[in-house]
Amino acid sequence: MTGYFRNRLTKIAAIAAAVVAVALPAAPAAADDAPDQRPDVPVGTWLAARTQPAVQLTSFTYTGTVAVPTSTINQSAFNALSEQAVVAVQAGKISSDERSIAKWLFQRIAADVDTYLAETTPERTVDAEVGGLCTGWWVTPDGYMVTGAHCVQVGETELSQLFAKQALAKFNEQDAKEIISGLQGIEADEEMVKLAQQIYITFNTNHMKIRGLKQSLSVLQSLPGGGVDKTAKAVPAELVSVGESYPGKDFALLKVNGQQNLPTVPLGDDADVRTGDTLYISGFPGLVTNTPFFSLESKLEPALTEGPYNAKRTTQTGVPYIQTQAPSYHGNSGGPVFSKEGKVVGMLIAGTVSEGGEASESESFVLPVSIVKEKLGEKNVKPAQAVTAIRYNEALNDYFRNYFEDALPKFREVQALFPNHPYVAKYISDTQAAISAGKDESPRPILMWVLIGAGVLVVIVLALVLVKVLGRRRRRSRSGPPYGGPGSPPGHAPYGAVTPPWQQHRLPAGQVPVPPPALPAHGGAPVRNGAGDGYSPGGYGQGGYGHDGYAHGGHGQDGYAQGGYGQDGYGRGGYGQDGHAQGGYGQDGHAQGGYGQDGYGRGGYGQEGYGQDGYGSGPHAGGDGGGYGHHAPPAQGQDGRMYYGDQTRDVRYGQFAPPPDGHS
């Protein structure tokens, strides 16, 4: 390839690259290099979506047979109490009507039931079940779960109260009716009924026995393909270890066997949060789970609350707790507490309650994650992030960025890894709907954009080459005949009448013309070669743009000069004082002398030009031989004309052909 072609292709490629850079739309961002980085959504939205699959509703259940004796009045004690009533009436401390006297008696009995009531037969029994709901969270993919100690066991006193409330209501109501019926002729009002019931609530609770007590722990888990709905069932859990209930290290570890690929949440450090930071609590408030008019699906979706980290507290036994204003309720116990980065920094354990037993939203207490890690280490349980959670979080980030086509296969992978996943089925459905609606904004792979850009570049290059070729043909058609052709003025060759070099003669392979030496300028002044006279010693040519024009080296294989446009280029003299060139346009160029002071050139058009001395060494004609071919030997052009003496013949691809009729 000649220097000219290389130069032209370089220019075209540069132009095309610039056009592509402007014309191509900016490629969307590449796939997320940091898949765990939060998308542009609220922190709470992001956290809830990521953590909900690992947060589970837990339950503890006690079953047993409750036995209570039949009660009877201690007659001697009751007679003494009756005498006290008479004295009180006489003293005016109580009214003398029978209803007032009966109420006074019931109040005294309820205050000291074991003095006035005694056990008797028969014993009454009832099977009962009591328990509670809490929150737990998966800490390993194979089924280890963390929750609070008070969520898995209760003390003896509290357990009795639970059974009494659950199992004795029927007995208490029956016994109260019997004692009221003994007050013949007295109509009991609401106050009297309550006083009678309180007598037997106290007595039956104090004398209750629980036989065949059994405890069970479970996690409410959805079935494969069911999601968070009516297909959820209680899966048995084993109690691995348990600490002391609040204000102790309120921690318990459960194990659900036969699990794999469970979604988990990562553990952080105590130092991840400090006073003033926002904390996020996830769990199942009892005000929802214990309310009958909410659906099971609603009950099995954890709630997220948030509030500031208020202070770090320490109990009298040295157990650290975090005080926060993030709201919590009965049932939230055991739930994970997150930093804004989505890592567990503690576990919700307790909250203050009002005198009426209602939770106070202003004070909740969190067991720090350092205690959780300590207790896990005691059982050699190492927290691990499940592949299910990693893929699910990546899919969620794509989903929230509207990269629906990228998210869909990841959601499907999660479903394959963990068919029981409670939320992925809905995300798959929503993602498919978004794709169908044309809402996908997934970034395309960089290779695709490279191929598109390359294709556009090739099209532009071809278009520019075609435009260039057509432009030259139009210019050639407008420029008129070549030197000496019909219509040319004597002694002149019009600008633009030069045939492009690739349409002229080519030298045989390996044959390189040697440029002639520089001629003296008009008037005898020596021609300067241009080394140092032009743009630079190298420049566009050896001589550059200066005195010697485009000169010795130049743009083509050897530049605009001495290589130049043709095989030997525009010439050795160039555009300067020595004219268009010593080499010129043909195989030996436009001329050895060129357009400058030495005239139109010494080389000329043919193999050796229009003449050995061209148009002459003078300004335009004659001199040093002059003429149209004083010494022009026969030769053939590649696709042009050849001059032989004063005769002209057409030449096509190196073969002589007779001239057409009418040609001289």
Side-chain angles (χ1 to χ4, degrees):
M1 180 182 289
T2 65
Y4 174 79
F5 280 114
R6 182 182 296 111
N7 177 50
R8 282 299 168 192
L9 289 178
T10 301
K11 284 187 174 182
I12 291 171
I15 294 171
V19 172
V20 169
V22 173
L24 278 179
D32 190 8
D33 293 331
D36 207 41
Q37 185 177 358
R38 179 171 64 86
D40 188 19
V41 295
V43 176
T45 302
W46 182 67
L47 278 175
R50 290 163 65 91
T51 61
Q52 281 178 339
V55 181
Q56 300 287 298
L57 184 64
T58 67
S59 69
F60 68 92
T61 305
Y62 288 93
T63 59
T65 300
V66 176
V68 292
T70 302
S71 66
T72 185
I73 295 291
N74 186 328
Q75 195 63 48
S76 61
F78 186 75
N79 290 337
L81 183 60
S82 298
E83 292 176 358
Q84 293 176 14
V86 172
V87 173
V89 170
Q90 292 174 346
K93 294 181 179 179
I94 59 175
S95 299
S96 60
D97 63 282
E98 293 180 345
R99 180 177 294 178
S100 296
I101 295 172
K103 289 181 180 179
W104 186 87
L105 291 172
F106 285 171
Q107 288 173 347
R108 292 300 182 272
I109 295 172
D112 190 7
V113 293
D114 288 334
T115 299
Y116 302 103
L117 297 180
E119 292 184 6
T120 188
T121 57
E123 184 181 67
R124 299 168 293 178
T125 61
V126 62
D127 291 334
E129 178 181 291
V130 298
L133 298 174
C134 274
T135 302
W137 37 285
W138 300 116
V139 72
T140 67
D142 60 348
Y144 281 100
M145 172 174 280
V146 171
T147 187
H150 69 276
C151 291
V152 298
Q153 67 180 16
V154 295
E156 185 177 344
T157 301
E158 185 180 358
L159 183 61
S160 295
Q161 291 173 348
L162 290 172
F163 268 109
K165 184 177 180 180
Q166 176 72 24
L168 300 181
K170 181 179 180 180
F171 297 145
N172 296 337
E173 185 178 349
Q174 289 176 349
D175 293 343
K177 286 182 178 179
E178 288 182 7
I179 195 173
I180 290 174
S181 65
L183 302 173
Q184 296 178 358
I186 300 176
E187 185 178 351
D189 57 15
E190 183 179 353
E191 182 182 2
M192 187 176 293
V193 171
K194 287 184 177 179
L195 286 171
Q197 287 180 349
Q198 186 60 49
I199 291 172
Y200 290 101
I201 289 173
T202 304
F203 178 83
N204 290 336
T205 301
N206 292 344
H207 295 268
M208 175 186 68
K209 293 180 177 62
I210 304 172
R211 301 189 179 103
L213 182 64
K214 294 181 181 179
Q215 181 188 14
S216 64
L217 300 169
S218 62
V219 176
L220 271 68
Q221 192 176 49
S222 59
L223 295 176
V228 184
D229 56 21
K230 62 184 180 181
T231 63
K233 71 172 183 177
V235 180
E238 173 190 347
L239 181 61
V240 178
S241 69
V242 61
E244 299 177 2
S245 295
Y246 178 81
K249 294 180 179 179
D250 203 324
F251 168 91
L253 180 64
L254 306 180
K255 178 65 167 68
V256 179
N257 295 318
Q259 303 293 311
Q260 61 179 358
N261 296 325
L262 289 169
T264 57
V265 285
L267 301 188
D269 296 300
D270 290 0
D272 291 345
V273 289
R274 58 185 178 180
T275 302
D277 287 342
T278 300
L279 301 182
Y280 301 85
I281 299 175
S282 182
F284 300 90
L287 57 86
V288 173
T289 55
N290 294 329
T291 302
F293 50 80
F294 284 120
S295 67
L296 180 61
E297 181 177 0
S298 295
K299 293 180 180 182
L300 294 181
E301 182 173 341
L304 188 76
T305 60
E306 64 181 79
Y309 182 134
N310 295 130
K312 184 176 181 180
R313 307 297 185 188
T314 304
T315 68
Q316 291 182 351
T317 57
V319 180
Y321 275 91
I322 298 169
Q323 179 184 341
T324 177
Q325 283 180 284
S328 64
Y329 309 89
H330 293 296
N332 275 136
S333 292
V337 179
F338 299 97
S339 66
K340 65 179 180 180
E341 285 75 26
K343 293 185 177 182
V344 176
V345 293
M347 176 169 54
L348 189 280
I349 294 299
T352 57
V353 294
S354 66
E355 293 182 357
E358 298 298 327
S360 172
E361 295 185 4
S362 60
E363 296 180 23
S364 298
F365 294 95
V366 175
L367 188 70
V369 71
S370 58
I371 303 299
V372 174
K373 290 181 176 180
E374 172 192 317
K375 291 297 184 180
L376 290 173
E378 291 176 359
K379 293 299 179 179
N380 199 30
V381 174
K382 297 180 180 180
Q385 184 77 321
V387 176
T388 304
I390 294 172
R391 292 291 181 270
Y392 186 67
N393 292 342
E394 291 175 356
L396 286 174
N397 285 349
D398 287 338
Y399 180 87
F400 287 130
R401 292 185 175 104
N402 295 335
Y403 298 172
F404 299 115
E405 288 189 358
D406 288 349
L408 186 57
K410 296 174 185 176
F411 281 134
R412 286 175 172 160
E413 182 181 356
V414 170
Q415 191 175 48
L417 287 168
F418 185 56
N420 295 48
H421 197 288
Y423 304 103
V424 72
K426 187 174 187 307
Y427 273 114
I428 289 175
S429 176
D430 291 347
T431 300
Q432 290 173 328
I435 294 173
S436 299
K439 297 179 180 179
D440 178 63
E441 299 175 12
S442 298
R444 297 293 174 260
I446 191 63
L447 178 60
M448 179 180 296
W449 290 106
V450 169
L451 294 176
I452 293 174
V456 174
L457 178 62
V458 170
V459 171
I460 293 175
V461 168
L462 293 176
L464 290 175
V465 170
L466 181 60
V467 169
K468 191 75 174 179
V469 171
L470 293 176
R472 286 198 179 98
R473 289 181 179 177
R474 287 195 296 269
R475 287 196 300 273
R476 187 166 64 248
S477 64
R478 291 194 301 266
S479 61
Y483 286 107
S488 295
H492 290 271
Y495 287 15
V498 180
T499 304
W502 51 83
Q503 296 178 359
Q504 296 187 16
H505 308 283
R506 295 185 182 272
L507 287 179
Q511 184 174 344
V512 180
V514 179
L519 296 179
H522 184 69
V527 174
R528 287 184 285 179
N529 288 327
D533 283 329
Y535 245 59
S536 65
Y540 269 118
Q542 243 185 52
Y545 273 115
H547 271 350
D548 291 301
Y550 269 75
H552 248 57
H555 248 312
Q557 277 185 352
D558 291 326
Y560 262 125
Q562 213 183 66
Y565 258 61
Q567 281 189 353
D568 284 331
Y570 254 148
R572 185 159 161 181
Y575 270 118
Q577 286 186 357
D578 285 293
H580 235 12
Q582 281 193 21
Y585 248 131
Q587 279 189 351
D588 283 333
H590 222 356
Q592 283 190 16
Y595 274 124
Q597 287 186 359
D598 285 307
Y600 269 87
R602 186 157 157 187
Y605 250 65
Q607 255 192 1
E608 296 292 332
Y610 266 126
Q612 204 176 59
D613 292 324
Y615 265 67
S617 60
H620 286 304
D624 284 345
Y628 274 89
H630 183 65
H631 292 292
Q636 59 190 32
Q638 194 170 9
D639 186 14
R641 289 183 177 276
M642 183 191 74
Y643 297 91
Y644 187 80
D646 59 353
Q647 294 189 12
T648 302
R649 290 193 173 91
D650 288 330
V651 180
R652 300 287 184 237
Y653 301 101
Q655 299 297 323
F656 285 100
D661 293 340
H663 281 233
S664 60

